[in-house]
């Protein structure tokens, strides 16, 4: 505990030092960016995990939860700074000094709570530390797979400035061989999460750094929205626009840019892909709770190797953050954690999802509603008790973790409470932020769907159905 708090304090003092040096007109490149990135992305989250004293978390789960909690902490701190500091006469809250003061207060409060929590903890409830056996971390396999992102960086550099893509090709060949090695059981299973993370990060950097400019469509709107916050040093919560209410763009990106002293463009091209690379790791963690490690690895790699992951997703910064929260929520549902702690984490990650992307939030709400209906039916007819009888034969091959089908994990009352919270939080945020533009658009969409359904037999009014049943012209048939 003592060494842990000393590490946190050292990082905090380093951040203060970097801020002081910048005020004096100097800067320490690279080191500041690395330290401040770790400060924003890990420190708040790891402190919260120590306070909650959640047991039996793997290193992968600890990292994923820490990053998720850190992101929502930074978003909420930025939001509160934006709302409170103007009341004290500070009209540029989204700037270096106010943000560092707010973040420092957060770290101080969390550290105090961490000490109190540690004093109250018994030996069997203390949080497990991250794996730190250097003899097993610093070996050839770890160094080899850990060098894949470096290979991607140098490959894009030589491609951009020397038109030489040989390193990029080497990277793609190595990545293409990974599923084969795993299928033949030539790699230790303990390395699977690390390999999935390094492979996904390599692909994202290989795509993102291949040009010095932003690429895509949505990313330009996100850049302009975040840049307006940077230029004005304040987020205007009542400003119309669907992007203005997405704090994954309007708060998170400016905070990273200001604290790390990295331009907004490179925050979107480097920092966001670094965070988003955790998505396949989250898929691995979730699938490993249902299947064995090999299935989990192939599932995570499949997500990472899908072109939309390292292509389209790089064009939507807010969606990258939202999908991190989404996979965290899904993992948490199947995580065996004390109910109050699970509720706290669900609330935190759900707020992060709602504040990050409206589309994914609406889709998740539909899925939650469908799940609540199923659970209500199950409460009456006990359908889950028949899962074993209805399951295919391969369920008996020890691929599934049957404990995940227990009543403890599928409690209808808990789900209904969570659904109610999610609905209230979603409507409250989208109604009172950005002049209700997001909520009005959703209502308008529902109205269009309802009108389309009411038209019924009028096939020409439904574009997709009209395409299927209509007769093509002679020229199109040819």
């Amino acid at each position: 505990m003592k060494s842990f708090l000393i590490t946190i304090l050292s990082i905090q003092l380093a951040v203060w030092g970097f801020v002081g040096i910048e005020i004096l007109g100097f800067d320490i490149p690279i080191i500041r960016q690395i330290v401040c990135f770790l400060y924003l992305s890990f420190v708040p989250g790891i402190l919260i995990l120590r306070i909650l004293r959640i047991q039996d978390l793997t290193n992968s789960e600890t990292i994923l939860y820490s990053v998720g909690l850190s992101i929502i902490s930074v978003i909420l701190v930025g939001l509160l700074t934006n709302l409170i500091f103007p009341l004290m006469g500070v009209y540029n809250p989204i700037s270096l000094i106010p943000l560092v003061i707010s973040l420092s207060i957060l770290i101080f409060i969390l550290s105090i709570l961490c000490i109190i929590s540690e004093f109250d903890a018994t030996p069997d409830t203390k949080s497990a530390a991250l794996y730190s056996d250097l003899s097993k971390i610093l070996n050839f396999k770890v160094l080899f797979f850990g060098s894949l992102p470096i290979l991607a960086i140098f490959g894009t550099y030589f491609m951009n400035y020397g038109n030489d893509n040989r390193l990029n090709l080497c990277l793609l060949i190595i990545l293409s061989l990974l599923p084969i090695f795993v299928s033949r059981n030539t790699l230790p299973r303990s390395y699977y999460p690390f390999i999935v993370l390094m492979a996904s990060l390599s692909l994202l950097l290989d795509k993102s750094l291949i040009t010095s400019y932003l690429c895509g469509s949505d990313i330009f709107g996100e850049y302009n929205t975040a840049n307006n916050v940077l230029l004005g040093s304040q987020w205007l919560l009542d400003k119309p626009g669907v992007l203005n209410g997405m704090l994954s763009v309007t708060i998170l990106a400016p905070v990273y840019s200001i604290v790390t002293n990295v331009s907004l463009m490179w925050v979107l091209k480097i920092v966001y892909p670094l965070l988003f690379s955790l998505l396949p790791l989250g898929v691995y963690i979730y699938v490993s709770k249902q299947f064995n490690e090999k299935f989990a690895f192939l599932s995570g790699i499949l997500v990472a190797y899908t072109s939309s992951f390292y292509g389209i997703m790089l064009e939507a910064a807010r969606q990258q953050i939202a999908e991190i929260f989404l996979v965290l929520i899904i993992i948490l549902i199947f995580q065996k954690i004390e109910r109050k702690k699970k509720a706290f984490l669900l609330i935190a990650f759900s707020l992060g999802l709602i504040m990050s992307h409206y589309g994914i939030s609406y889709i998740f709400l539909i899925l939650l509603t469908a799940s609540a209906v199923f659970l209500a039916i199950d409460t009456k007819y006990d359908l889950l008790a028949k899962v074993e009888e209805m399951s295919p034969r391969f369920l008996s091959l020890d691929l599934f973790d049957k404990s995940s089908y227990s009543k403890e994990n599928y409690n209808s009352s808990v789900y209904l409470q969570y659904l109610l919270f999610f609905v209230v939080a979603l409507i409250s945020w989208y109604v009172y932020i950005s002049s209700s533009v997001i909520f009005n658009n959703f209502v308008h969409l529902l109205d269009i769907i309802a009108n389309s359904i009411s038209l019924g037999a009028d096939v020409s009014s439904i574009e997709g159905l009209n395409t299927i049943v209509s007769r093509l012209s002679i020229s199109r048939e040819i």
Side-chain angles (χ1 to χ4, degrees), residues 79 82 221-222 224-229 234-252 318 354-356 358 429-430 432-438:
L79 175 62
N82 185 84
E222 294 168 339
N224 288 330
T225 302
N227 194 46
N228 288 335
V229 176
Q234 188 174 11
W235 172 61
L236 304 177
L237 59 90
D238 57 347
K239 182 179 180 181
V242 293
L243 294 179
N244 190 61
M246 301 296 98
L247 301 191
S248 56
V249 172
T250 55
I251 293 294
L252 187 65
R318 65 188 187 280
I354 292 170
M355 294 176 177
S356 295
Y358 49 88
W429 182 256
Y430 293 156
Y432 293 105
I433 297 299
S434 300
S435 301
S436 303
V437 171
I438 300 174

Side-chain angles (χ1 to χ4, degrees), residues 80-91 93 234:
L80 291 175
T81 303
N82 185 84
L83 297 177
I84 295 174
F85 271 69
L87 301 178
M88 300 184 295
V90 180
Y91 297 105
Q234 188 174 11

Side-chain angles (χ1 to χ4, degrees), residues 292-424:
N292 58 32
E293 289 86 352
K294 183 184 291 187
F295 273 71
F297 177 87
L298 295 175
S299 300
I301 284 294
L302 176 63
V303 172
Y305 288 6
T306 304
S307 60
S308 59
F309 172 77
Y310 59 85
I312 298 175
M313 290 303 302
L314 289 175
E315 303 173 6
R318 65 188 187 280
Q319 190 169 337
Q320 296 176 39
I321 304 302
E323 292 198 6
I324 294 174
F325 286 122
L326 179 62
V327 76
L328 280 167
I329 293 172
I330 295 174
I331 292 172
L332 189 59
I333 290 174
F334 293 90
Q335 190 86 43
K336 295 180 180 179
I337 301 176
E338 184 181 334
R339 183 170 173 177
K340 291 182 180 179
K341 298 176 182 178
K342 178 180 285 191
F344 172 81
L345 294 175
L346 276 175
I347 291 173
F349 297 147
S350 298
L351 289 176
L353 176 61
I354 292 170
M355 294 176 177
S356 295
H357 197 277
Y358 49 88
I360 295 179
S361 299
Y362 289 140
I363 294 172
F364 185 61
L365 176 59
I366 295 172
L367 295 176
L368 277 180
T369 305
S371 299
V373 172
F374 172 80
L375 289 170
I377 297 173
D378 173 65
T379 302
K380 184 174 181 179
Y381 297 104
D382 201 19
L383 298 179
L384 288 175
K386 303 176 183 178
V387 169
E388 188 78 24
E389 302 173 5
M390 299 170 57
S391 299
R393 183 174 298 178
F394 69 86
L395 286 181
S396 61
L397 299 179
D398 198 29
L399 297 176
F400 286 96
D401 177 13
K402 296 181 179 60
S403 63
S404 63
Y405 296 98
S406 65
K407 285 290 184 181
E408 178 184 355
N409 288 331
Y410 291 92
N411 189 304
S412 58
S413 63
V414 173
Y415 266 72
L416 290 174
Q417 293 172 14
Y418 175 58
L419 174 60
L420 179 61
F421 161 77
F422 195 87
V423 170
V424 172

Side-chain angles (χ1 to χ4, degrees), residues 7 34 36 38 109 126-127 158 183 212 222 310 318 387 401:
T7 303
I34 294 174
C36 290
L38 295 175
I109 294 174
K126 290 188 176 182
S127 302
F158 287 123
S183 299
S212 299
E222 294 168 339
Y310 59 85
R318 65 188 187 280
V387 169
D401 177 13

Side-chain angles (χ1 to χ4, degrees), residues 136-152:
K136 294 187 177 181
I137 293 178
L138 299 178
N139 59 49
F140 174 76
K141 291 186 179 68
V142 172
L143 294 177
F144 174 76
F145 291 111
S147 66
L148 293 180
I150 300 176
L151 185 63

Side-chain angles (χ1 to χ4, degrees), residues 16 26-27 101 196 205 265 320 350 366 371 385 393 396 406 440 456 470:
W16 288 345
F26 301 96
D27 190 24
I101 291 175
V196 169
L205 292 178
M265 184 186 72
Q320 296 176 39
S350 298
I366 295 172
S371 299
R393 183 174 298 178
S396 61
S406 65
N440 292 336
S470 61

Side-chain angles (χ1 to χ4, degrees), residues 146-165:
S147 66
L148 293 180
I150 300 176
L151 185 63
I153 293 172
F154 280 101
T156 54
Y157 177 82
F158 287 123
M159 180 64 189
N160 291 334
Y161 297 100
N163 291 324
D164 186 350
N165 66 346

